[in-house]
Amino acid sequence: MTIPIVILHKDDIINLEIMLDSIYKNTRYPFEIFLIDNASAPNLKAKLEELQKKYNFYLIFSKKNNWLFGFNAVFKHPNWKKDYQYYIFSDCDIEVPALQEKCWLERMVDEMDNNVCIGKLGISLKYSDIDKGEIYDKVVKQELIHDAQPTIGSKNRIAPVDTTLAIYRTDLFVYNKFRFSIGHASLVRPYYYVCRTDRSEIEARHLGWYNRGTTNNTEEQLKSKIICFANYAAFIEPVVFERMPKYYYYYYKIIKPITKLYWSTNVIMALFYYYIKNFPRNINMLQNKLR
C-alpha cells in the first residue's frame, strides 16, 4: 500500500531540497509525494518546478499563505486516493534517517499496524548535535520531558506532535472528513493517543535547529509570516520583530488575542458537536473503543 507524504513549503527551498533528497535516498516502502507551496516568493517557482522534474512529485501552488490550512489543498488533487491506509504530513525541514533492515517509513507503518490506539505517530527529533546555546537548552529541556512519558508498543512515547513529520490515521480528527484546522491537537478523537517514535529506533534531524536564520530573511517574507501568524494566533519568536518596523509588533499584539478567541471557539464547538452526537449511548465507546 502506497503512503502519501504531504510536505508544506514556504520560502525554505534549501531545507526542502535536503528533505526531498533524504526521502528518496532513505525510503524503501512505497510512497508518493505531494508538495504544497504556501505562496512562496515568485522567484522560487522555477526552482520548485526544477525539483519536481528531478524527484517526480505532485506540485500544488496555493495562491496565499494559509499556514497549516495549506495542507488541506491536497485533498482536492486529482491524484489523491480515497483508499490510503495512512497519511504522512510534514513541514519542509525534516531530514529522514538512513536505517538498516527496515527503513524509517516501514518502521512507522509497523508501529501503527501493531498499536491501534495510536492515532498519530511523530518522528523523534535528534538534538544531541545541535550547537550549544539558548536553542539547545530550550530543545533539550523540552525533549527530556517528552522522553520521560509513558510508552506504547515499541517504546513509542505519549507526547505532543505538531506539524513535524508524522504518520496519521485517516479518521484521527473529530470531523467527518480528515482536515487540518487551528487547534488540531485538541481535535483528536478521544480514543487515540498521539506519540513519538522511540529515538533509539527512529530519529530525524529538524533542519531548522541547525541552520536557523538562513530562511525568511527578506522583509517581505517576514511581513507575510507576521500577518499570517497573527491571523491564526500562532507563536512568533521575538527575534522576528527585532528586524521589522515597530508597527508590525503592535499589529500582532492586537490581532492575535482576537483570532485566538475565534479559533478557540471553533475548537470548543467542534468538540461539543462531536460529544453531543455520540452522547449518552456511545460515550463509553468513545473512551474505550481502541484502548
Side-chain angles (χ1 to χ4, degrees):
M1 176 68 71
T2 299
I3 302 292
I5 301 176
V6 185
I7 302 173
L8 191 63
H9 170 261
K10 170 66 176 172
D11 295 316
D12 199 1
I13 203 79
I14 298 174
N15 286 338
L16 172 62
E17 189 163 10
I18 296 172
M19 180 176 185
L20 289 171
D21 191 60
S22 72
I23 290 174
Y24 279 90
K25 284 182 178 178
N26 302 329
T27 312
R28 294 184 293 275
Y29 194 95
F31 70 93
E32 54 188 352
I33 290 180
F34 294 81
L35 178 64
I36 302 170
D37 181 68
N38 236 357
S40 294
N43 64 314
L44 295 181
K45 183 177 181 181
K47 180 62 176 178
L48 288 169
E49 291 173 342
E50 178 185 320
L51 290 176
Q52 181 187 26
K53 292 178 181 178
K54 179 179 179 181
Y55 293 108
N56 191 29
F57 55 76
Y58 300 113
L59 179 57
I60 304 169
F61 287 103
S62 294
K63 294 182 179 180
K64 62 179 181 178
N65 181 13
N66 288 324
W67 194 36
L68 62 82
F69 281 107
F71 280 126
N72 295 331
V74 77
F75 303 121
K76 298 179 181 179
H77 195 279
N79 293 101
W80 183 261
K81 301 177 182 64
K82 295 182 179 180
D83 61 346
Y84 290 124
Q85 183 179 6
Y86 304 115
Y87 308 143
I88 283 187
F89 288 89
S90 180
D91 296 329
C92 65
D93 58 354
I94 300 297
E95 183 179 17
V96 300
L99 302 176
Q100 300 298 320
E101 298 179 3
K102 292 187 176 183
C103 74
W104 66 275
L105 184 51
E106 289 175 290
R107 297 187 187 202
M108 294 187 81
V109 170
D110 283 350
E111 291 303 322
M112 297 295 280
D113 286 346
N114 296 330
N115 300 282
V116 293
C117 60
I118 298 178
K120 175 181 178 181
L121 179 63
I123 197 165
S124 285
L125 302 176
K126 186 177 183 179
Y127 60 84
S128 59
D129 58 347
I130 303 174
D131 289 340
K132 300 297 189 293
E134 181 182 353
I135 296 301
Y136 176 86
D137 294 339
K138 184 185 298 184
V139 168
V140 170
K141 181 179 180 181
Q142 177 176 290
E143 293 298 315
L144 288 177
I145 293 174
H146 297 327
D147 289 349
Q149 299 307 305
T151 61
I152 295 176
S154 300
K155 300 180 181 179
N156 300 298
R157 298 286 175 182
I158 299 174
V161 180
D162 195 16
T163 53
T164 51
L165 191 147
I167 188 168
Y168 295 69
R169 294 195 186 276
T170 60
D171 64 341
L172 177 68
F173 298 123
V174 298
Y175 301 120
N176 292 330
K177 294 183 178 180
F178 188 104
R179 62 186 171 94
F180 279 87
S181 181
I182 306 303
H184 61 96
S186 299
L187 293 169
V188 173
R189 292 176 185 258
Y191 45 79
Y192 282 139
Y193 288 102
V194 174
C195 298
R196 299 187 181 198
T197 60
D198 173 20
R199 65 174 63 258
S200 67
E201 291 287 326
I202 317 172
E203 193 176 51
R205 296 175 80 240
H206 184 200
L207 298 170
W209 290 345
Y210 299 86
N211 50 17
R212 299 175 63 86
T214 61
T215 58
N216 292 329
N217 283 330
T218 71
E219 182 172 327
E220 189 62 31
Q221 290 169 344
L222 292 177
K223 173 185 174 182
S224 173
K225 180 174 183 176
I226 291 171
I227 293 174
C228 175
F229 279 34
N231 290 341
Y232 296 130
F235 172 75
I236 295 181
E237 295 177 346
V239 67
V240 172
F241 296 108
E242 294 175 4
R243 302 173 54 192
M244 297 293 286
K246 199 69 175 178
Y247 53 79
Y248 284 106
Y249 172 80
Y250 294 122
Y251 172 85
Y252 177 78
K253 286 297 183 180
I254 292 171
I255 297 298
K256 182 184 176 182
I258 299 172
T259 56
K260 185 175 183 179
L261 177 62
Y262 172 79
W263 293 115
S264 297
T265 302
N266 279 5
V267 169
I268 292 171
M269 293 305 296
L271 291 172
F272 177 77
Y273 175 76
Y274 178 76
Y275 279 106
I276 287 296
K277 185 176 65 174
N278 293 280
F279 185 87
R281 185 170 61 87
N282 294 328
I283 195 65
N284 289 332
M285 176 277 292
L286 286 175
Q287 295 298 338
N288 298 295
K289 181 179 179 183
L290 295 180
R291 295 183 185 178

